[in-house]
Amino acid sequence: MALTGAPRIVTSRIGYEDSYTLERFLATGGYDGLRKALSMSPEEVSAEVNTASLLGRGGAGFPAGRKWSMLRAAPTTYLVVNGDESEPATFKDHLLLERDPHQLIEGVMIAAYAIGAAQVFIFIRGEMALGIERVTQALNEAYEYGAVGRNVLGSSFSVDVVVHPGAGAYICGEETALLESLEGKRGFPRIKPPYFPAAIGLYGEPTVVNNVETMSNLPWIVLNGGAAFAALGSGSSTGTRLFALSGRVNNPGVFELEMAKTTFKDLIFDKSLGNGIIDGKALKAFIPGGVSAPWFSPDQVDMHLDQDEVGKAGSMLGSGSVVVMDETTCALRAAWRITKFFWRESCGQCTPCREGSGWLEKTLWRIENGEGREEELDMLMDVCDNLAPGLTWPPQQTTICVLGPSIPSSIASAIRMFRDELLVHVKEGRCPFA
Amino acid sequence: MTHLSEEMIAYARQLVSLYPEPRSALIPICHLAQEQDGWLRPEAIEEIAAVVGVSPAEVFGTASFYDLLHTEPAGRYVVSICTNIACMLAGAYDLLDHAEKNLGIKAGGTTPDGLFTLEDAECIAGCDNAPCLQVNGRYFGKLTRAEFDKLVEDLRAGELAEQVPPHGTLCRVRRSVGLTARDGGGDARLGTSDEPERPSSTSGGGTAGGVAGSERGGATGGGTAGTSQPARRRRRGKK
Ligand SMILES: Cc1cc2nc3c(=O)[nH]c(=O)nc-3n(C[C@H](O)[C@H](O)[C@H](O)COP(=O)(O)O)c2cc1C
Ligand code: SF4
Ligand code: FES
């Protein structure tokens, strides 16, 4: 932890070589949070999470406590953990899954107790083979230790947890697609409304879907109190948060930082964090919250890692991944690669997303290779406007899920911020960076 | 004689018992079948369908949506080089070019000896080690061309057997317990089972203990309420 005196909440153990073992976990306060939660009533646990004002860490930033309170009353309620983490340049859950699987299980058990879940499913991205192994192993140990299953830690509370492997599809991170996949089907996002699985979720039952990092915060919140969590950060951005920094920096990695107290400049340039740009080059642009997010320019680096501040500036903190581009980066090529990703990952249900992504990708590729025309930049903007009318952020939705309307972010950013550079491709008939 | 080994079918049934509806075990069982064959053979698809209670076409239709489920044979080592944004900014396309030359195949292809399949992959959440790749789901990062050559050499010589399990093996750890929360509750059985009796204990043997006997039988029919899906060809994997 750097820069502020905030404690490490979700990464307190990762310095240990054996951080993923039950032994290390128990030696460092593991399952004490669950023990404490079980001595409280479920309502009291939810109240602490509400006080903490814990915002979901999966991308949308919705308050976890509020989501839980929206559950439709029903005999069977499910808790599903979203460990699909496939947003390009996002790799924080990867760390938590491999390095502290028991912390996740403890958080999951606390949430299951608070909402009275009948069963819990931890959905883990299929590419994360080691993460799946570690969580499966930890779950076996947790059952044996008595922290999961029947009469948890000697209490009258019982719940089962199942680890469910994904099979390689970005769209399964979208919560309704994830539920379809968990039901053994193709990962097609469901038509809204209902807007929240809390009304109709897994097998049609009320379901809470929360991110891995969101869950991993719960043991600390229960042990230290929601107020202690809310005392960190500022405004609605409370606690600490994991930021995944990548791209043209000297020291890419995952950093746990106090929300709203640190700036993008700190993250990118501080010696203990990103440690500046490779070869001392100049910053060109950065993506503040995953490739779905509109880009920021160097004059915005003083902005805080604060959900509201970034939102007001027309982008989002999203999944907490910051990608740095420097003066050697071709903005057009970056936008093309991101668009290619969306094209490959579009589930194909909605025409604007399915057809638009392919057209955009091909056009960007032609311009990148010097075969474009100037008026095509305006055509690109026009197609983007069809996908997300008005090109605002958050986008106007034209499709079943928000993947489609996210496609324009990088394209519109590149055209608005670097129009002249894109035109050099057209005029010179080649990429000036190649 | 079944195509999938008896212990695999037994473990597959136990996976079914972990879910309120059997169809939920479809994808986990597909992964399991790939452990044996490296891909989903038609014979395996038939048996998976029987275990989860849907038609083979439903299994195939679902599996074909997912990148990690192979409906065609793949090489013994599937080398997936990430070319997404962070890796691209660290020279991933140079690495991919180099890999294509070294292996003598284009991305998407398999070497004639069946040893290597090369993929131009999306972000694999290893961006702090860009440029990075996975071999059969295991990470290798910050690769130079020379290191890539060495990796291929070591794989060929079988020197990374410990680190890189056979293609198709997703998780080397088996779940060791069934559902226990509702044991003795008396109502844990969901639906009626018209499937053959499930083995009452694990037959996995060795270190890979299967799920211990749980209370639930494999309910059937849970998958039939599925949505009708638009007939559409997936674009994933196309260049
Ligand atoms: C296309 C798309 C991909 C998403 N991918 C993920 C993901 O990989 N992990 C995740 O936790 N949330 C992802 N989300 C957000 C989820 O739909 C959901 O909001 C989140 O899991 C809720 O958890 P939280 O409230 O704890 O953040 C994605 C959303 C969309 C539209
Ligand atoms: S917007 Fe794209 S990814 Fe989302 S449901 Fe429609 S086609 Fe599928
Ligand atoms: S961009 Fe290559 S692993 Fe994330």
Side-chain angles (χ1 to χ4, degrees), chain A residues 171 189 346-350 353 399-401 403-404:
Chain A
I171 194 57
S346 165
C347 85
Q349 290 188 99
C350 320
C353 174
T399 50
I400 295 173
C401 89
L403 184 147

Side-chain angles (χ1 to χ4, degrees), chain A residues 56-59 67 82 84-86 170 173-175 209-211 214 402-403:
Chain A
R57 303 310 201 217
K67 188 183 278 190
N82 191 341
D84 191 53
E85 190 166 72
S86 315
Y170 165 68
E174 197 274 348
E175 57 192 7
V209 181
N210 268 138
N211 169 262
T214 312
V402 77
L403 184 147

Side-chain angles (χ1 to χ4, degrees), chain A residues 87-91, chain B residues 82-88 122-128 130-132 139:
Chain A
E87 176 88 3
T90 308
F91 47 102
Chain B
C82 170
T83 58
N84 209 310
I85 186 79
C87 289
M88 181 180 88
E122 294 302 341
C123 174
I124 46 182
C127 335
D128 47 347
C132 70
Y139 288 95

